[in-house]
Each structure stands twice: as C-alpha cells, then as structure tokens.
Amino acid sequence: MVDYVKALTRKPPKTQPAYIEPKGEPKKRKFKAIGLTSGIGSMLIGADLAGFSVIGNIEWRNYYRLQDKDGKNTFIENFPGAFMARGLADVPEGMMPDDIDLAMGHPECGMYSLLNSPNKNSKLDKNDAGDIPLFLEYISKLKPKYFVMDDLPQCFNAIPIKGYVDLLPEYDLFPEWVSNYNYGNIQKHRKRMFMVGSLKSEKYTFEANEKEEFTEWTIREKIGDIEEKWGCLPNHDQHTTNGPGMRFLHMRHRNDRPTWAEVQKHFKKHQRPKQNFQYHGADGNMKVRPSLIRMDYDWISPVLTGGNPMMHPNICLPISIRERARIQGFPDSFEFFGTELVDGKWEHGARNSTMVKQTGKAMPIEFNEYVAKHIMAHIKNKPIKTSRKRYLKPDNMISEAKYNFCKISGYSDQVKACSNCWIKETCDVRKTK
C-alpha cells in the first residue's frame, strides 16, 4: 500500500448512534449486498431490485444516520433486516457475514464537485482523496466478489489507478463514465465516474447499456400528477410561505431579505423557466446562483444538489422531498424520515437541510439497478440484454485510467474487456496482450 491510499484518520462524529439495530425480517435470498458509505441506500435499491439481500450499511456521515423524533431512520425503515453502523468496528460480532457478493457506495466527492461553484476555478488539492481511501479500505478487508463505487473523474488526481491496483490487486477494475440520463434518469447532466470491480476469479466484464434519448420524459410526467395533492404521498408536504428565504438574499435589491411569499411572487413574475436565480452583487452587477433554477414542466430536470432548491414550475416554491425523490428515480414506497413540519408545512432551510441532503446527495436509481442486474446475471450465468452502445463522449481522465489498468494489471478476460472498451480503436495495449 502506498501513501495515497492510506485510510482516513478522521474520528467519526458521535452525535448520531454508532449502531442502529435492524427492523423486520430480511428477504430470504442467496446473494448478499452491503453498503459502504452508501448514504440512505439509493444504490442498494438497485441491488434489491436485482435480487440481492441487503444486509447493512457502513456509513460515518451523521445526516444519513439521522433518527427522527420517533427514532426512525431512513435506511433502516426501507431495508428490513439490515443494520446501519458508523464504522466496521461498530458492527456487533456475528452481524457481518463472511461471504459478501456485492458492495456499493458513494464516497464524498467534496472539492471535486463542479456543482459546488466555488470549486470551479480553484486549484484542487491533489492529496485530498475524500472518502475514497475509506471505501477502498473496506473493500480490501471485506473482499466482496463485486463492488460498485460512485465518484467523479477528478478523484484520479488524488488516487491514480495504480493506487487502486496496489490496494486491490486481486480485482478487475472498470472505470466507467456514466450519464444517468442515458440509463433512464431525467437529469441529463448528472454524469459520474463509476468504478466497477470484481474479483479476477469471477471473470466478469462490465458492458454498457446506454440509450441515446428519453425525449418523452419531462418534469410534468415525473411530478405533475401531485402538484397540489399535499399529503397524498409520503414526504409530499406543502411548502410554507412564511419565514425568510435565505437562499434568495439580494433578490430585488442589495440587502434584500425576502420572505418565501415574496420569493414566490418574484419567481412567478421575473424568473423564466430554465433560468438560474439572479441576484444583485456587491459590485452592482447581476449575479447568477448556479443550480438554483425555476424548472420547466416540459423539459428535463436540472441536476439536484444537497443545497440549493429547485423551484417548482407553477407553484414557484421549492419542490417537495417526494418530488425530489421522484426525480432521482426513487419509488414512491421509499419513505424519508426526519422532516420537520411547522403548522403542517415544511420549509427548504436549516430545519430540513438533512432531508435535502438525503435526496440531493443520493445516487439516481436507474444506472445502479442496471449494473446490479448485470452483475446478478453474470453470477447466475444468465444472458442479459445490453445495447453495448455509448452515447456519452469519453472522459480523458477515465480513458487514461482504463489504459493504465491494462498496462499495470490487465483483465481476467482481456478479449471481452477490450471488446467493450470505448478506447479499443486507439489503444495499443491490447495488441501486446
């Protein structure tokens, strides 16, 4: 192991329980999946839909281990029989099985996220690997047959592919550049780096299944049926018009501190659909706050975040937690716990920041369902229909990682891996294998 893959030395926060007991009975299934820094389990919904039994989630982040006033936690309530723990050391003896088939997780991307506008022009710390070392440490200890990790291409600045190989020499590694939209999610620009790994003994090869367009999918079709049906579904609560809209400071003029009712009135009159929120800067010029957009019913969705709200096309207030969940691909049966209501209404603000994070930082369901089903089909030696097509333009950092993995390690089934690789026409490594 080399320096850039050392495990994190952070002391886990203690404001939420270190271990939360399972509730209910687990699904009696042969193959087991676990979350490693997997949040509320959005990636594990894909594992569940693919036929894996979800046994637990190792998650150090407090806002995912949050319990509401009744002691209910989002992950625990949605995955019967599964535990949640702050770290491996917090899991009671006997709870962790010896044989894990699939691990899934989305470590913090931190300063690598270009959605975080202050980072766009900053020099990223090449030694800051976020939570990836922690995830890799878990993989090296638990040795699941397969794993899926979500992050961003810039993470290769901190940990090049050689770091993964040094720590996980027994794994085939498939760095993939994925647009969730091409797998059926309505957020067209939610593009991520997925590292798909499998023990070399499994002889697995990842195959793409991208589709070019989903032109029939619009915001209206995703959330239009519940526009004003407050309380008809879990987490679909009417937004308050009282109190300050703190994300909208300087809206009408410098030092403006509008109420939510004033924000609503302003958006209806002045903010066009698809337009980022504009405010008055200190220099007197109008500024733009990225990712704070009035949505368009007849358009795709902008990328949800864990901070700025998305404004409803008609109501012109932040969309509800259920509407956010629908955009991420969650089924309506998946309920989020921790919402705080005042007089029966909720507010996009400090009181419910955890709920916004849980929905915004979750991973869209569609690709994770596909990759889990693809892995399950390989385990069972059953065919699965794949397009093997790629419509997303390749990412240079991921292409370099693919190339270097073949040079350093190579695949257990090199011929099949090469046939599914997007750089096969220009790569010279395969000619020497």
Side-chain angles (χ1 to χ4, degrees):
M1 188 188 308
V2 290
D3 288 346
Y4 45 70
V5 291
K6 283 184 177 179
L8 297 180
T9 57
R10 168 198 302 114
K11 290 184 178 180
K14 297 181 179 180
T15 56
Q16 296 296 332
Y19 179 77
I20 306 177
E21 294 277 353
K23 288 186 178 181
E25 293 296 320
K27 295 179 180 178
K28 295 181 179 179
R29 292 170 170 175
K30 180 179 179 181
F31 302 105
K32 300 177 179 64
I34 191 170
L36 303 175
T37 64
S38 195
I40 53 173
S42 53
M43 296 179 75
L44 293 168
I45 292 176
D48 176 66
L49 292 171
F52 291 91
S53 176
V54 177
I55 62 167
N57 186 13
I58 309 297
E59 179 52 76
W60 69 267
R61 293 166 286 194
N62 267 319
Y63 54 87
Y64 289 130
R65 298 200 322 281
L66 175 76
Q67 293 178 304
D68 69 7
K69 58 183 177 59
D70 298 317
K72 292 184 177 181
N73 169 269
T74 298
F75 175 82
I76 292 295
E77 297 298 325
N78 287 284
F79 293 95
F83 65 82
M84 194 170 200
R86 181 181 58 189
L88 285 178
D90 299 304
V91 181
E93 187 175 353
M95 289 298 296
M96 186 71 73
D98 296 328
D99 201 18
I100 296 172
D101 298 287
L102 174 63
M104 305 184 83
H106 50 101
E108 289 279 358
C109 54
M111 291 298 291
Y112 292 115
S113 176
L114 295 182
L115 293 174
N116 188 344
S117 57
N119 300 335
K120 286 186 175 181
N121 300 314
S122 64
K123 292 182 179 180
L124 301 177
D125 181 358
K126 291 189 177 183
N127 295 314
D128 180 7
D131 291 344
I132 296 176
L134 183 63
F135 180 89
L136 297 179
E137 181 189 21
Y138 289 157
I139 296 296
S140 68
K141 287 182 177 180
L142 298 176
K143 296 276 191 298
K145 292 184 178 68
Y146 304 87
F147 72 84
V148 181
M149 185 194 82
D150 161 274
D151 216 274
L152 291 169
Q154 292 86 348
C155 70
F156 286 119
N157 284 329
I159 306 181
I161 197 68
K162 185 179 184 301
Y164 290 78
V165 175
D166 288 346
L167 188 59
L168 307 173
E170 63 272 68
Y171 281 87
D172 282 334
L173 301 173
F174 300 89
E176 298 294 332
W177 184 222
V178 173
S179 168
N180 286 278
Y181 176 79
N182 291 113
Y183 284 86
N185 189 266
I186 197 171
Q187 301 168 87
K188 190 164 188 175
H189 302 292
R190 191 149 193 158
K191 301 168 186 175
R192 306 286 295 188
M193 187 279 287
F194 280 85
M195 183 71 76
V196 182
S198 69
L199 289 173
K200 289 183 179 294
S201 57
E202 298 299 306
K203 298 188 181 300
Y204 167 82
T205 299
F206 175 79
E207 297 174 292
N209 190 39
E210 295 181 11
K211 296 178 176 62
E212 186 172 13
E213 289 288 341
F214 291 86
T215 53
E216 75 279 9
W217 287 15
T218 63
I219 289 292
R220 187 186 306 278
E221 292 184 2
K222 279 292 181 183
I223 67 174
D225 63 309
I226 57 171
E227 180 174 320
E228 295 193 23
K229 297 179 181 176
W230 316 119
C232 68
L233 291 170
N235 309 119
H236 187 56
D237 303 295
Q238 187 174 8
H239 198 285
T240 182
T241 54
N242 296 323
M246 297 303 292
R247 297 274 178 175
F248 302 89
L249 297 177
H250 318 301
M251 182 178 72
R252 295 165 296 190
H253 53 78
R254 193 68 187 166
N255 299 319
D256 185 18
R257 300 174 68 87
T259 65
W260 283 110
E262 291 169 328
V263 169
Q264 183 181 40
K265 181 179 179 180
H266 179 85
F267 263 72
K268 284 185 175 182
K269 186 174 182 179
H270 299 290
Q271 289 288 140
R272 301 186 308 273
K274 304 183 188 178
Q275 183 183 26
N276 281 301
F277 171 64
Q278 293 180 302
Y279 65 97
H280 293 263
D283 60 2
N285 295 320
M286 296 301 293
K287 306 288 185 180
V288 171
R289 184 158 294 149
S291 75
L292 201 168
I293 298 175
R294 179 181 175 183
M295 306 172 97
D296 186 334
Y297 252 155
D298 298 311
W299 194 51
I300 58 171
S301 173
V303 176
L304 293 186
T305 73
N308 287 333
M310 288 296 171
M311 304 299 277
H312 194 282
N314 288 346
I315 297 169
C316 289
L317 288 169
I319 58 175
S320 71
I321 294 298
R322 177 51 50 196
E323 288 167 327
R324 291 172 65 87
R326 279 197 175 184
I327 288 169
Q328 292 280 49
F330 282 88
D332 286 345
S333 58
F334 192 101
E335 187 170 356
F336 297 79
F337 293 87
T339 298
E340 292 188 27
L341 302 180
V342 177
D343 297 327
K345 296 183 180 181
W346 85 286
E347 181 179 23
H348 188 293
R351 181 182 290 110
N352 286 298
S353 62
T354 294
M355 306 308 296
V356 174
K357 283 183 179 179
Q358 286 190 1
T359 48
K361 287 177 173 264
M363 291 302 107
I365 308 303
E366 291 85 354
F367 173 75
N368 291 293
E369 179 181 357
Y370 167 73
V371 70
K373 286 183 175 179
H374 190 262
I375 289 170
M376 179 63 83
H378 179 80
I379 291 173
K380 293 184 174 181
N381 196 26
K382 292 184 177 180
I384 182 171
K385 186 177 180 180
T386 63
S387 69
R388 298 185 66 187
K389 292 182 178 180
R390 298 180 188 270
Y391 296 100
L392 182 62
K393 183 179 178 181
D395 175 86
N396 290 336
M397 298 188 78
I398 299 177
S399 294
E400 182 180 6
K402 284 178 167 291
Y403 180 85
N404 287 333
F405 180 80
C406 278
K407 284 184 67 175
I408 297 167
S409 177
Y411 292 97
S412 55
D413 189 339
Q414 189 68 43
V415 172
K416 188 174 182 181
C418 285
S419 70
N420 284 281
C421 184
W422 69 54
I423 62 173
K424 62 185 177 182
E425 300 303 328
T426 58
C427 179
D428 59 1
V429 176
R430 66 191 183 112
K431 297 174 184 177
T432 64
K433 291 290 180 181

